[in-house]
């Protein structure tokens, strides 16, 4: 790949040939840190590297501890989420059945020439359970 660096003002440009392996590594760095490949090249050429301040090893240890705690919590709450999902699906099925029964009830009332009831609260509840 050919990299062309142009100045903001004036003439003159620099052309550099970059092999595919190096460009792939630059793109991986960009994805990892959320920076464009052009910005990575600019940092590398101008030497704008930031030196870490503080206790880097201590922070890395804290991150590892937090990751372990996160996985412990994940293990603890995974069964609860699974049960909640099952209950949510059961509620959807019941809402569908209830909707069918309401329609059947309305049809029977019309057949018997009775006044059909419009239960708005119940319709809202059925709609709620069918959406989520």
């Amino acid at each position: 790949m050919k990299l062309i660096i142009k100045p903001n003002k004036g003439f003159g440009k620099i052309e550099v040939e970059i092999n595919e392996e190096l460009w792939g590594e630059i793109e991986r760095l960009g994805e990892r840190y959320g920076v464009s490949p052009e910005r990575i090249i600019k940092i590398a050429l101008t030497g704008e590297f930031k030196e870490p301040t503080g206790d880097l090893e201590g922070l890395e240890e804290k991150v590892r501890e937090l990751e372990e705690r996160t996985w412990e919590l994940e293990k603890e709450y995974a069964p609860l989420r699974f049960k909640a999902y099952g209950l949510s699906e059961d509620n959807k099925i019941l809402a569908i059945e209830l909707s069918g029964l309401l329609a059947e009830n309305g049809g029977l009332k019309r057949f018997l020439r009775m006044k059909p009831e419009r239960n708005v609260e119940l319709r809202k509840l059925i709609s709620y359970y069918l959406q989520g």
Side-chain angles (χ1 to χ4, degrees):
M1 173 177 194
K2 186 179 279 189
L3 174 68
I4 301 172
I5 302 170
K6 297 178 183 178
N8 290 336
K9 291 184 178 182
F11 299 107
K13 60 183 175 182
I14 301 171
E15 294 182 14
V16 180
E17 190 70 32
I18 297 178
N19 65 19
E20 293 299 321
E21 183 180 337
L22 179 60
W23 182 252
E25 187 63 31
I26 290 171
E27 287 181 332
R28 279 191 290 280
L29 280 172
E31 290 173 6
R32 182 177 177 187
Y33 294 108
V35 179
S36 69
E38 292 81 14
R39 177 76 176 130
I40 291 174
I41 292 171
K42 182 179 176 187
I43 289 171
L45 291 175
T46 58
E48 295 179 16
F49 301 109
K50 293 183 180 176
E51 293 296 322
T53 58
D55 183 21
L56 192 59
E57 291 176 5
L59 292 174
E60 288 175 348
E61 182 61 32
K62 283 183 182 179
V63 167
R64 279 192 289 276
E65 289 172 6
L66 289 173
E67 284 177 347
E68 288 175 14
R69 180 68 180 138
T70 302
W71 286 114
E72 289 172 12
L73 290 173
E74 178 68 25
K75 289 177 191 175
E76 185 177 330
Y77 290 111
L80 294 174
R81 278 201 322 270
F82 181 74
K83 288 178 185 175
Y85 174 76
L87 291 174
S88 171
E89 292 300 308
D90 290 346
N91 285 341
K92 281 183 185 179
I93 292 169
L94 291 173
I96 291 169
E97 288 180 11
L98 182 59
S99 179
L101 290 173
L102 283 174
E104 186 178 343
N105 191 17
L108 289 173
K109 283 191 176 189
R110 279 191 297 277
F111 178 75
L112 295 173
R113 295 191 175 113
M114 295 174 67
K115 182 181 175 191
E117 297 174 13
R118 295 200 36 90
N119 195 337
V120 178
E121 298 277 333
L122 193 55
R123 293 285 178 191
K124 285 182 184 178
L125 191 61
I126 290 171
S127 175
Y128 171 78
Y129 282 112
L130 287 178
Q131 288 176 0

